[in-house]
Amino acid sequence: MGLKSFLLIMICQIITLNGVQGQIHSSFLRNVNSTLRRRAFAPGDIVMAGLFPAHYDHDPYKNVCEYLNEKTVQWIQAMIYTIDLINNRNDILPNITVGYNIRDTCDSASIGILRTINLVPGEFEDENGMAESDDDPPPFHCANFSDSAKSIVAGIIGAKSSRVSIPVASLVSNFNLPQISYASTSPALNDHRRYKSFFRTVPSDKYQAIALVDIMKHFGWNYISVIAVDDSYGHQGLNELSEQARLNDICIAVAEYVSDPTDTVTISKILHKIENHPKSKVIVVFTTEYVAVSIIHQAELRNLTSHIFIGTDSWSNSLKFTRFNPAVIGGMIGLSLQGRTNPQFDEYLRTRDLCNNLINPWFVEMWRSKQIEYDINLDHVVDQCSISSILHSNYTNDFYYQTSKAAYVMDAVTALAVAVHNTLR
C-alpha cells in the first residue's frame, strides 16, 4: 500500500473536549485534570495526531507523570501554530480543515503505545464477528457515533525520543500510517523494511557520532569516557560513537549506562569510576535531558571540576544547565541540531496568554506550577488575560525561548500536510 492508502483508514472514536465556558477566573488554574488525561484537540476533516513528552519521569505503579517539560510545551505550541497556518492557506489542502489530537507520552514507550493504539484498528471482523482474510481490505464500522466524532487520521507527528518512536513505528507501519518524528535520531529507525512508514526531519545519530569524534580530534582528546542512557537512543549512540572512536584511535576508558536518573548512588559510582582514570578528562553524556541533569548534579556534589562534559543534541541547548556551578560546567561543549529562528513564531509565543491559549492544557499547567513553586498571585493575570514580560523573564525561559526543535516540529507538520495535499490532487 502506498501513501494514498492511509487515507482509507477511518478511526472512529469519541473525543471529548473539556472546554471552559463562562467567565474565566483563577479557580481554573486549580482545576486541571490529571496529566495522563489531558490532550490538545481541535476537530477537522482530517486529524494529525501528536505524540510529545509534555512530562517525564513516568511512574508506572502510580500511573502518573511527575515533571513538566516547558520546552516540550513550546513544541506542542509549534504544532498548533503550524496547523493554524495551514488552515489559513489556499495552496495546501484548500477547503479541508486540519485538526489535531495531541497527547502526552511522558517520554514512556508504554504510554506512547497506549496513545497510538487509539489511532489504529486493533482487530478486523466482518458483520458476523469473523476475522477478515489478509486479502480483503479491513472494514471500519462506526456504530452509534455521530458524524462529528469521525475523523480521518492523516498521520502521527512524533515521538521525540527514539525509545518511544521505535515501538510506535513498529505498530503503525503495519497499517501504513505515516509517522514523522521531529527529534528521534536512533540509527535503528533507518531500517525501512521494519519501519516502512516512519520518517523524520532530523538526521541520524550516525552523523552526531562523527561530529563528536571531529571535536575530539580537533582538541587532541584521545582518551574519553561515555555515560549513556539505557535505552535505544543511548545504546545506538554509544555503538556509533565507539565505532567512530575505534576508527580514529580514540580510547574509551569508561562506558556505562544509566537506567534510572533517580538512582543517585549508581550515578555517583560511575563518576567515581571515571575519576579513577586520570587520563580521561572528557565525559560524553549520551542521554536525555532528565538523565543529564542528574549526572551534572552528582558531578556538582562531587566537585568534579577537572573534567569537560560534552552534551548530545537531546539536552545540550537546555537552559537548565546554566544554573549549575560554573566550575563544573565551565568548558562544556554541546552538539545541537542546526535550527532556524522564526520571528513570526517568536511573536506568536509572546502573545500566548491564559485566555487565548486554553487549547494547550500544558501551557495552563505550566503557569499553575509557577504559581505554586514561586507563590505568585495569578488572579489578576487570569482576569486580564495577558502575561507580562516580567513574568516571562522571572519565572520561565524555556517556553518563550525558541528552541531548534520547534522548527523540526513545524517541518514535520508541513511535510505531512503537503503529502496529504499531493495525494488528494
Side-chain angles (χ1 to χ4, degrees):
M1 257 187 322
L3 179 61
K4 188 174 182 178
S5 62
F6 78 82
L7 292 172
L8 299 177
I9 299 179
M10 298 293 295
I11 307 301
C12 304
Q13 53 185 313
I14 298 176
I15 302 176
T16 303
L17 176 62
N18 293 322
V20 178
Q21 299 178 349
Q23 184 179 5
I24 300 173
H25 49 81
S26 60
S27 63
F28 175 74
L29 290 171
R30 296 188 291 271
N31 294 315
V32 184
N33 292 333
S34 66
T35 58
L36 288 177
R37 294 180 58 189
R38 289 182 202 135
R39 77 175 84 198
F41 173 77
D45 300 312
I46 63 172
V47 169
M48 292 188 188
L51 297 178
F52 291 83
H55 295 81
Y56 45 88
D57 192 23
H58 172 244
D59 186 333
Y61 300 102
K62 299 179 181 178
N63 202 29
V64 295
C65 305
E66 295 293 340
Y67 302 107
L68 184 70
N69 189 332
E70 292 182 16
K71 287 197 303 183
T72 303
V73 179
Q74 182 196 103
W75 302 339
I76 292 169
Q77 205 69 54
M79 179 171 176
I80 295 172
Y81 168 80
T82 308
I83 290 177
D84 287 344
L85 288 182
I86 291 169
N87 284 332
N88 286 307
R89 292 176 62 168
N90 295 321
D91 58 332
I92 300 179
L93 297 173
N95 302 317
I96 294 177
T97 301
V98 181
Y100 48 83
N101 184 8
I102 303 172
R103 300 300 298 267
D104 182 6
T105 66
C106 296
D107 208 22
S108 162
S110 58
I111 297 298
I113 284 293
L114 288 175
R115 298 293 185 237
T116 309
I117 286 174
N118 292 328
L119 303 174
V120 296
E123 183 176 3
F124 302 141
E125 295 181 346
D126 61 18
E127 294 179 353
N128 298 317
M130 301 298 292
E132 295 284 315
S133 69
D134 292 338
D135 296 329
D136 295 329
F140 294 89
H141 305 294
C142 301
N144 300 321
F145 286 179
S146 66
D147 290 339
S148 61
K150 302 175 184 178
S151 301
I152 299 176
V153 178
I156 298 173
I157 303 301
K160 175 188 179 289
S161 62
S162 297
R163 70 166 173 265
V164 179
S165 285
I166 287 174
V168 169
S170 296
L171 175 60
V172 302
S173 290
N174 293 311
F175 304 95
N176 292 311
L177 185 65
Q179 174 189 357
I180 306 179
S181 173
Y182 47 86
S184 296
T185 54
S186 172
L189 289 163
N190 291 336
D191 187 350
H192 291 293
R193 292 177 299 175
R194 180 175 297 178
Y195 311 114
K196 59 185 178 179
S197 65
F198 176 84
F199 307 91
R200 53 185 165 193
T201 55
V202 290
S204 165
D205 278 331
K206 176 181 179 180
Y207 303 103
Q208 180 167 213
I210 293 173
L212 286 168
V213 169
D214 284 345
I215 292 173
M216 296 167 196
K217 289 168 62 179
H218 175 79
F219 289 103
W221 296 329
N222 56 12
Y223 204 58
I224 66 170
S225 296
V226 184
I227 305 176
V229 62
D230 191 10
D231 64 11
S232 57
Y233 174 73
H235 283 272
Q236 290 288 333
L238 180 54
N239 288 342
E240 292 289 341
L241 181 57
S242 298
E243 177 63 15
Q244 291 300 321
R246 182 186 65 80
L247 293 174
N248 289 274
D249 296 324
I250 296 174
C251 296
I252 298 180
V254 177
E256 294 286 348
Y257 292 104
V258 174
S259 56
D260 182 4
T262 63
D263 186 359
T264 57
V265 174
T266 297
I267 294 174
S268 184
K269 287 181 179 179
I270 292 172
L271 292 173
H272 177 68
K273 185 176 181 180
I274 293 173
E275 287 179 286
N276 287 334
H277 290 77
K279 291 183 179 180
S280 177
K281 296 297 184 182
V282 176
I283 305 174
V284 179
V285 182
F286 223 116
T287 70
T288 60
E289 178 186 30
Y290 185 39
V291 176
V293 168
S294 295
I295 292 171
I296 302 301
H297 179 59
Q298 288 303 309
E300 189 176 58
L301 293 177
R302 297 184 65 86
N303 195 30
L304 198 64
T305 59
S306 58
H307 289 68
I308 296 174
F309 289 91
I310 300 181
T312 55
D313 69 292
S314 65
W315 65 270
S316 61
N317 62 351
S318 171
L319 295 176
K320 288 182 174 64
F321 296 91
T322 61
R323 303 162 191 166
F324 286 103
N325 184 354
V328 174
I329 64 171
M332 179 185 290
I333 298 175
L335 287 182
S336 181
L337 294 172
Q338 184 177 3
R340 61 187 186 278
T341 58
N342 184 325
Q344 290 78 21
F345 183 57
D346 278 332
E347 179 61 27
Y348 169 83
L349 287 175
R350 285 193 293 268
T351 59
R352 295 308 89 194
D353 59 45
L354 293 170
C355 286
N356 65 18
N357 202 31
L358 297 180
I359 195 71
N360 185 346
W362 301 285
F363 176 82
V364 178
E365 181 188 348
M366 179 182 76
W367 280 107
R368 176 180 179 270
S369 66
K370 299 300 178 184
Q371 179 186 31
I372 296 172
E373 181 179 359
Y374 297 106
D375 192 26
I376 56 178
N377 185 354
L378 293 181
D379 290 357
H380 68 285
V381 174
V382 178
D383 292 336
Q384 299 174 9
C385 286
S386 64
I387 301 173
S388 69
S389 58
I390 296 177
L391 285 175
H392 292 179
S393 59
N394 286 350
Y395 298 110
T396 177
N397 284 316
D398 286 347
F399 178 82
Y400 296 98
Y401 175 76
Q402 188 178 162
T403 62
S404 61
K405 286 190 176 67
Y408 294 101
V409 173
M410 297 180 203
D411 288 344
V413 173
T414 304
L416 183 56
V418 171
V420 176
H421 174 84
N422 292 338
T423 301
L424 295 176
R425 282 198 302 178

